[in-house]
């Protein structure tokens, strides 16, 4: 795709004669036998420049040559990464076929739990990990999600500068793929990062005496990386604009309402992610919460915007209907200049206006809808309780569940804003980040350095609001926010029923099961709940 976008864009800039294409300059076609030239018909090859002239235009532009050289260097870098990845994938395939006895053609029929069980069984027979006799499910998750658990913990502790308050816009959250890539480069796998390899933190990061020196070095690296991003900003911005145009232009023409669809934001995926939750597990959970979240967000409507959308849709639809009727009556109408453009834009306008008109059969029940969202996403700030109908709650939910148009806009602005965040906002957090890695890193035999939150230890990282008295020794700094340790423990125990948790965690799970059983025994029958009213019936009649 990268190679195609660069080649096709260069072709459009240097190899097309737009005066001929737009009929700004007449083109004479000579015909045999002395026939009169045909000045009205222009074919596509007529608008293409010959190869020597095209090459000459490319060589005459210094900017195009510079961008092509940068693109070629980046493409070669990507090619090397792809080849290295292919070698790794081949090793993985060989391991699955020979060690786990899972053939490639039958891999899609195996669940992750089955693959994991075979891996644990293989460790008992061959002891691949020489430092310990048995691997547990938690050890495997720690190896796979080592860096991801650190990122989830930093988002949970509000350590990363992704929250901003802007004039007119108010509180906003900004976390894009570009900013995430730079953060991972600084902390995990870049030159001079806090990790010296894929499994071990640098020794000086574990010494309290070296924290200020290390923080100064990290802050300097943040500024230098920000300046590098600033220098590359024009190239990256051009690429983002071209890629977004080629990716979304046809989709917007075909389905203009797709920009009004929603998706879980990158920040939302980190905020809602449990510790030790694999990508496919997170995706399945958020996919189950997609429809309830969409219904909740769509339940907020503006009467003024609805009236405006109805009128705009009526006027644009009326003009569109007349133009379509004229083209049906006489197709020569299509030859009128800009008539196709008008029909296309009016169709887009009608579709866009309809997306702002709410369904007249919608039932206003934000509290019940938000509870249905919570049943799948598992996290909700305390101040949302009983305030589901407030615009502030909807605004905070929109930070987790954003419009696709907002996602595209953020990615387009990322090359400009990411360097500013790296230079001005992130260095102030350098000391806190160094302290975080020192205080919340533990070494596990056979696994390496991991985030201590990922151990799911309620005694060291539990929240007193979730636990009985004396079950946790965690201070406010040590405990995870919003009960993430407890919810992650519950999720991991349900996902991996054979896993044996440590005694404090096992005690919490047993007490939780007892409480759930008591609540279930005391709960009224489903028939009585459904009989309480039409609102309850409409809510509970939907898919669970």
């Amino acid at each position: 795709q990268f190679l195609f976008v660069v080649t096709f864009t260069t072709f459009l800039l240097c190899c097309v004669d737009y005066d001929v294409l737009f009929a700004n300059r007449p083109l004479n076609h000579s015909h045999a036998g002395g026939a009169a030239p045909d000045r009205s018909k222009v074919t596509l090859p007529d608008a293409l420049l010959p190869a020597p002239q095209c090459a000459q235009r490319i060589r005459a532009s210094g900017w195009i040559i510079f961008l092509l050289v940068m693109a070629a260097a980046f493409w070669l870098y990507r090619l090397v990464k792809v080849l290295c990845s292919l070698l790794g994938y081949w090793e993985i395939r060989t391991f699955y076929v020979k060690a786990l006895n899972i053939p490639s053609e039958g891999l899609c029929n195996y669940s992750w739990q089955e693959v994991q069980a075979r891996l644990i069984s293989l460790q008992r027979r061959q002891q691949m990990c020489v430092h310990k006799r048995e691997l547990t499910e938690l050890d495997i998750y720690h190896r796979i999600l080592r860096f991801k658990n650190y990122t989830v913990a930093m988002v949970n502790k509000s350590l990363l500068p992704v929250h901003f308050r802007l004039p007119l816009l108010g509180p906003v959250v900004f976390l894009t793929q570009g900013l995430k890539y730079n953060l991972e480069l600084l902390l995990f796998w870049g030159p001079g990062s806090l990790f010296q390899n894929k499994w071990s933190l640098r020794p000086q990061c574990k010494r309290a005496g070296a924290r200020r020196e290390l923080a100064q070095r990290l802050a300097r690296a943040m500024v230098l990386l920000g300046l590098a991003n600033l220098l590359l900003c024009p190239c990256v911005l051009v690429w983002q604009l071209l890629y977004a145009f080629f990716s979304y232009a046809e989709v917007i023409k075909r389905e203009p309402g797709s920009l009004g669809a929603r998706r879980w934001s990158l920040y939302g995926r980190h905020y809602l992610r449990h510790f030790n939750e694999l990508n496919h597990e997170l995706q399945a959970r958020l996919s189950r919460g997609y429809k309830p979240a969409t219904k909740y967000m769509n339940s907020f409507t503006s009467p003024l915007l609805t009236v405006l959308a109805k009128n705009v849709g009526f006027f644009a639809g009326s003009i569109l209907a007349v133009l379509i009727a004229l083209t049906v009556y006489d197709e020569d109408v299509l030859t009128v200049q800009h008539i196709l453009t008008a029909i296309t834009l009016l169709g887009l306008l009608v579709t866009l206006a309809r997306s702002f008109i709410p369904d007249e059969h919608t039932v206003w029940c934000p509290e019940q809808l938000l509870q249905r969202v919570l049943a799948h996403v598992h996290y909700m700030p305390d101040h949302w309780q009983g305030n589901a109908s407030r615009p502030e709650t909807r605004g905070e939910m929109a930070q987790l569940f954003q419009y696709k148009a907002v996602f595209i806009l953020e990615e387009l602005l990322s090359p400009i804003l990411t360097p500013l965040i790296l230079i001005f906002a992130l260095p102030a957090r350098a000391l806190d980040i160094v302290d975080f890695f020192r205080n919340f890193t533990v070494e596990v035999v056979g696994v390496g350095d991991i985030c201590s939150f990922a151990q799911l230890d309620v005694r060291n990282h539990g929240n007193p609001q979730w636990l009985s008295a004396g079950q946790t020794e965690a201070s406010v700094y040590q405990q995870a926010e919003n009960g993430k340790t407890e919810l992650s423990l519950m999720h991991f125990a349900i996902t991996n029923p054979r896993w044996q948790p440590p005694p404090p965690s096992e005690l919490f799970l047993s007490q939780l099961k007892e409480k759930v059983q008591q609540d279930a025994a005391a709960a009224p029958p489903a028939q009585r709940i459904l009989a309480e009213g039409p609102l309850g019936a409409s809510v509970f009649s939907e898919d669970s």
Side-chain angles (χ1 to χ4, degrees):
Q1 286 184 359
F2 179 80
L3 199 61
F4 171 79
V5 169
V6 171
T7 305
F8 188 49
T9 304
T10 306
F11 170 80
L12 292 176
L13 289 174
C14 300
C15 301
V16 178
D17 191 339
Y18 289 99
D19 286 334
V20 174
L21 186 65
F22 296 146
N24 295 331
R25 185 176 72 241
L27 183 69
N28 294 333
H29 290 281
S30 299
H31 294 268
D38 183 6
R39 296 174 179 271
S40 62
K41 188 174 182 180
V42 177
T43 62
L44 194 58
D46 294 331
L48 302 183
L49 297 175
Q53 189 176 352
C54 179
Q56 177 61 33
R57 293 180 68 173
I58 293 176
R59 287 194 294 267
S61 176
W63 269 109
I64 291 180
I65 293 177
F66 170 73
L67 291 174
L68 287 176
V69 170
M70 295 293 295
F74 179 74
W75 186 79
L76 289 174
Y77 163 73
R78 294 285 298 180
L79 180 64
V80 172
K81 283 195 67 175
V82 166
L83 293 176
C84 294
S85 298
L86 286 175
L87 294 175
Y89 294 152
W90 181 260
E91 291 181 0
I92 293 172
R93 180 185 183 278
T94 305
F95 179 77
Y96 266 70
V97 172
K98 294 185 178 180
L100 300 181
N101 295 320
I102 299 177
S104 297
E105 58 274 9
L107 181 60
C108 58
N109 299 322
Y110 286 82
S111 68
W112 164 247
Q113 279 67 29
E114 292 175 304
V115 175
Q116 190 171 242
R118 292 194 176 212
L119 183 59
I120 293 173
S121 176
L122 182 64
Q123 167 66 16
R124 295 194 186 105
R125 298 196 309 270
Q126 297 189 9
Q127 201 167 355
M128 299 173 296
C129 179
V130 297
H131 298 289
K132 58 194 310 182
R133 177 170 173 74
E134 289 196 6
L135 282 176
T136 66
E137 292 86 351
L138 196 60
D139 292 334
I140 296 172
Y141 275 70
H142 282 165
R143 281 173 172 258
I144 298 173
L145 299 169
R146 187 191 314 273
F147 297 154
K148 187 67 67 177
N149 282 326
Y150 275 107
T151 307
V152 171
M154 284 190 286
V155 170
N156 178 256
K157 299 295 288 183
S158 301
L159 195 60
L160 300 177
V162 296
H163 294 269
F164 303 95
R165 181 173 289 275
L166 301 179
L168 302 179
L169 296 178
V172 297
V173 172
F174 185 82
L175 180 60
T176 61
Q177 293 290 347
L179 180 57
K180 174 174 169 284
Y181 178 86
N182 280 277
L183 290 173
E184 292 175 347
L185 191 68
L186 279 168
L187 301 177
F188 300 125
W189 50 267
S193 64
L194 299 183
F195 270 78
Q196 61 183 357
N197 47 47
K198 292 183 178 180
W199 63 87
S200 178
L201 204 63
R202 294 185 185 276
Q204 57 266 37
C205 295
K206 301 178 181 180
R207 297 197 302 265
R211 57 191 288 267
R212 294 198 175 275
E213 178 187 353
L214 195 62
Q216 292 174 357
R217 193 185 312 164
L218 181 61
R220 187 164 56 249
M222 292 171 179
V223 174
L224 291 176
L225 186 60
L227 293 174
N229 275 264
L230 206 57
L231 290 175
L232 295 174
C233 175
C235 301
V236 179
L237 185 60
V238 169
W239 161 251
Q240 292 278 57
L241 290 171
L242 291 174
Y243 188 78
F245 174 76
F246 290 130
S247 298
Y248 299 110
E250 189 275 334
V251 176
I252 293 173
K253 178 183 178 300
R254 178 167 39 89
E255 300 179 30
S258 62
L259 289 179
R262 290 187 176 269
R263 67 190 302 278
W264 296 104
S265 67
L266 186 60
Y267 170 76
R269 288 178 173 272
H270 285 83
Y271 177 83
L272 300 173
R273 188 168 192 157
H274 295 305
F275 296 124
N276 302 316
E277 185 173 25
L278 295 173
N279 288 341
H280 72 275
E281 296 170 351
L282 173 68
Q283 184 60 43
R285 188 162 58 85
L286 295 185
S287 296
R288 289 193 294 269
Y290 182 85
K291 286 186 177 180
T294 301
K295 290 181 179 180
Y296 171 74
M297 298 301 290
N298 290 343
S299 66
F300 291 83
T301 58
S302 168
L304 182 62
L305 189 61
T306 301
V307 172
L308 183 64
K310 286 181 179 179
N311 283 278
V312 169
F314 174 77
F315 298 141
S318 301
I319 301 172
L320 180 62
V322 171
L323 293 179
I324 292 175
L326 290 174
T327 57
V328 171
Y329 177 74
D330 188 351
E331 63 181 13
D332 289 337
V333 175
L334 293 175
T335 61
V336 177
Q337 193 174 22
H338 301 311
I339 195 70
L340 280 176
T341 304
I343 291 175
T344 302
L345 292 178
L346 287 170
L348 291 173
L349 192 59
V350 169
T351 308
L352 191 63
R354 284 177 180 171
S355 66
F356 288 99
I357 301 174
D359 185 1
E360 60 182 6
H361 303 294
T362 300
V363 179
W364 173 252
C365 49
E367 290 291 347
Q368 289 83 352
L369 288 173
L370 192 58
Q371 288 299 321
R372 290 186 60 205
V373 176
L374 177 62
H376 299 292
V377 303
H378 299 171
Y379 292 98
M380 187 173 75
D382 292 337
H383 62 271
W384 286 12
Q385 294 277 0
N387 294 315
S389 59
R390 295 179 63 85
E392 293 83 0
T393 303
R394 183 190 184 276
E396 293 180 11
M397 181 67 183
Q399 295 175 353
L400 308 178
F401 196 56
Q402 63 184 177
Y403 283 118
K404 184 175 287 187
V406 175
F407 162 75
I408 296 173
L409 181 62
E410 286 183 352
E411 291 297 330
L412 292 178
L413 293 176
S414 180
I416 301 173
L417 298 180
T418 294
L420 302 180
I421 294 174
L422 291 173
I423 294 173
F424 298 109
L426 196 57
R429 304 286 182 94
L431 185 60
D432 294 332
I433 292 174
V434 169
D435 288 340
F436 174 86
F437 276 87
R438 187 184 74 256
N439 295 327
F440 297 114
T441 294
V442 294
E443 184 177 357
V444 178
V445 176
V447 178
D449 290 334
I450 64 167
C451 180
S452 59
F453 286 103
Q455 288 189 300
L456 308 178
D457 187 353
V458 294
R459 179 170 293 278
N460 291 324
H461 297 299
N463 193 314
Q465 295 179 345
W466 288 71
L467 300 166
S468 303
Q471 282 191 338
T472 181
E473 302 171 354
S475 62
V476 175
Y477 176 69
Q478 293 173 320
Q479 67 191 29
E481 306 300 326
N482 300 317
K484 187 174 279 287
T485 301
E486 292 77 12
L487 286 167
S488 300
L489 172 60
M490 285 187 275
H491 177 268
F492 191 83
I494 293 171
T495 308
N496 300 274
R498 298 181 182 177
W499 174 62
Q500 184 63 38
S505 300
E506 190 171 13
L507 176 63
F508 167 75
L509 291 174
S510 62
Q511 291 179 347
L512 179 70
K513 289 178 183 177
E514 292 176 4
K515 184 70 168 61
V516 170
Q517 291 171 354
Q518 292 173 4
D519 292 346
Q527 292 82 359
R528 196 189 311 168
I529 296 176
L530 291 174
E532 286 182 354
L535 181 60
S538 66
V539 171
F540 289 103
S541 64
E542 308 206 20
D543 294 338
S544 63

